[in-house]
Amino acid sequence: MFSKACEYGIRASVYLARQAEKGDRASLTEIAKAIDSPVAFTAKILQLLARHEIIISYKGPTGGYEIPKEHLSGIQLSHIVKVIDGDKVYRGCGLGLKECNASKPCPLHFQFKAIRDELKEMLQSTTVQDLANELHRRPAFLKR
Amino acid sequence: MFSKACEYGIRASVYLARQAEKGDRASLTEIAKAIDSPVAFTAKILQLLARHEIIISYKGPTGGYEIPKEHLSGIQLSHIVKVIDGDKVYRGCGLGLKECNASKPCPLHFQFKAIRDELKEMLQSTTVQDLANELHRRPAFLKR
DNA sequence: AAAAAAACGGACAAATTTGTCCAGTATATA
DNA sequence: TATATACTGGACAAATTTGTCCGTTTTTTT
Ligand code: FES
Ligand code: FES
């Protein structure tokens, strides 16, 4: 469904969202430990998210990554997915045709598009804040 | 969403379903041409489907691949997907945790599972015959 | 029986994704 | 200013997926 990179990216963002609620930032190693991901690979992903201003990075001691608290409710999962995996999740044909197009549809088009649109809607209506809240309401996990 | 192999597998199966309605079988090269897929790679996929008795292969002149007409309505897309991609589409965690488990859920679990279940339901309720019919009712395409 | 047609299967190769290493840069603190 | 800390970015490596090649086997036709 999503690439590994994207899975790590979302998990890292949710972890950062939880930290943001505490007014904290987190270092690369802390994040990688919290979400059980390969450190150096996670670094690449965080750099990508930082370049796209989904998270902010700070160098030096006391540095790390951070999501400004006031951004929490504005960061949709769809933003993260788009930055990391592009928009084939939202636009791609289920049977791999070059483009998904209702006027030249594959035989699965209408069934597939219905579900793809729901996925898109879900990713757009869910923010990292929502997922951080989820971590409070019930025991939920970012690793294993 | 699905692997390339799986996309080719479904497209090939739909093509064979349409041929079955005509009482025809199709050779590897004919199939690859019809669905615009790499010939040798397609061969591997067809062999896999044949080993799992989703399609039947015949050697020699007049040989090729075939779906028995009376099987058409019994072959669900979910069968094909499972043989080629396994069941991570149906059971996998959206955020990449080792297993998706409601009693140890990732923060996206409930939203994700809802959509994953709809996808599963769609794949189970759609047969290759349904898709072959689709090709009759309106112009639909297996390539480009 | 010989030849031709078509799938089979194993080894190999290319491309992509995932993951690692390390020297460089920026920054906080002493 | 020196040092330690943490992110950055480029090159590299491993793993997986995608795709190719070719000799073998089976079957039909001549
Ligand atoms: S054309 Fe295949 S999903 Fe739209
Ligand atoms: S645990 Fe992540 S989707 Fe179920």
Side-chain angles (χ1 to χ4, degrees), chain B residues 27-28 44 47 51 57-58 60 64-65:
Chain B
S27 72
L28 168 61
K44 300 299 185 195
Q47 284 164 28
R51 275 199 296 275
S57 76
Y58 300 92
Y65 298 92

Side-chain angles (χ1 to χ4, degrees), chain A residues 81-141:
Chain A
V81 172
K82 184 153 193 177
V83 160
I84 301 178
D85 280 351
D87 62 0
K88 71 181 191 315
V89 180
Y90 311 127
R91 304 188 177 288
C93 167
L95 297 190
L97 302 197
K98 301 247 190 319
E99 59 173 5
C100 169
N101 181 340
S103 71
K104 200 175 171 183
C106 74
L108 193 60
H109 173 82
F110 297 95
Q111 297 96 312
F112 184 79
K113 182 172 189 302
I115 287 169
R116 198 190 55 194
D117 285 350
E118 286 187 58
L119 175 63
K120 184 179 179 181
E121 169 60 29
M122 183 273 274
L123 293 174
Q124 284 174 343
S125 63
T126 306
T127 66
V128 292
Q129 184 167 54
D130 295 332
L131 297 193
N133 287 341
E134 194 70 18
L135 290 179
H136 296 146
R137 265 210 301 289
R138 64 177 107 234
F141 300 84

Side-chain angles (χ1 to χ4, degrees), chain A residues 18-120:
Chain A
R18 186 166 57 176
Q19 292 305 101
E21 291 176 332
K22 297 197 237 161
D24 263 355
R25 61 181 61 153
S27 72
L28 169 61
T29 50
E30 177 185 345
I31 295 170
K33 198 161 295 177
I35 70 173
D36 191 30
S37 64
V39 178
F41 190 47
T42 304
K44 300 299 186 194
I45 299 160
L46 293 172
Q47 285 163 28
L48 184 62
L49 292 176
R51 277 199 294 277
H52 284 81
E53 299 175 347
I54 288 173
I55 65 180
I56 301 181
S57 75
Y58 299 93
K59 289 183 172 179
T62 79
Y65 298 92
E66 183 183 311
I67 297 180
K69 206 180 289 193
E70 61 280 13
H71 287 187
L72 281 181
S73 64
I75 302 177
Q76 305 167 2
L77 293 192
S78 60
H79 298 152
I80 299 172
V81 172
K82 184 153 193 177
V83 160
I84 301 178
D85 280 351
D87 62 0
K88 71 181 191 315
V89 180
Y90 311 127
R91 304 188 177 288
C93 167
L95 297 190
L97 302 197
K98 301 247 190 319
E99 59 173 5
C100 169
N101 181 340
S103 71
K104 200 175 171 183
C106 74
L108 193 60
H109 173 82
F110 297 95
Q111 297 96 312
F112 184 79
K113 182 172 189 302
I115 287 169
R116 198 190 55 194
D117 285 350
E118 286 187 58
L119 175 63
K120 184 179 179 181

Side-chain angles (χ1 to χ4, degrees), chain B residues 7-142:
Chain B
E7 291 171 356
Y8 297 148
I10 295 173
R11 276 150 61 190
S13 298
V14 173
Y15 182 76
L16 284 175
R18 186 167 55 174
Q19 292 304 103
E21 291 176 334
K22 297 196 239 163
D24 263 357
R25 61 182 60 154
S27 72
L28 168 61
T29 50
E30 177 185 344
I31 294 170
K33 197 162 295 178
I35 69 173
D36 191 32
S37 65
V39 178
F41 190 47
T42 305
K44 300 299 185 195
I45 298 160
L46 292 172
Q47 284 164 28
L48 184 62
L49 292 176
R51 275 199 296 275
H52 284 82
E53 298 175 350
I54 288 173
I55 66 180
I56 301 180
S57 76
Y58 300 92
K59 289 183 172 180
T62 79
Y65 298 92
E66 183 183 309
I67 297 180
K69 206 179 289 194
E70 60 280 15
H71 287 186
L72 281 181
S73 64
I75 302 178
Q76 305 167 2
L77 294 192
S78 60
H79 297 152
I80 299 172
V81 172
K82 185 154 194 176
V83 160
I84 301 178
D85 279 352
D87 61 1
K88 71 180 190 315
V89 180
Y90 311 126
R91 303 188 177 287
C93 166
L95 298 189
L97 302 197
K98 301 247 188 319
E99 60 173 6
C100 170
N101 180 341
S103 70
K104 201 176 171 183
C106 73
L108 193 60
H109 174 82
F110 296 95
Q111 295 96 312
F112 184 80
K113 182 172 189 302
I115 287 169
R116 197 190 56 193
D117 284 350
E118 286 187 57
L119 174 62
K120 184 178 179 179
E121 169 59 29
M122 183 274 274
L123 293 174
Q124 284 174 343
S125 64
T126 305
T127 66
V128 292
Q129 183 166 53
D130 295 331
L131 297 192
N133 287 341
E134 194 70 19
L135 289 178
H136 296 148
R137 264 209 302 289
R138 63 176 108 234
F141 300 85
L142 288 173

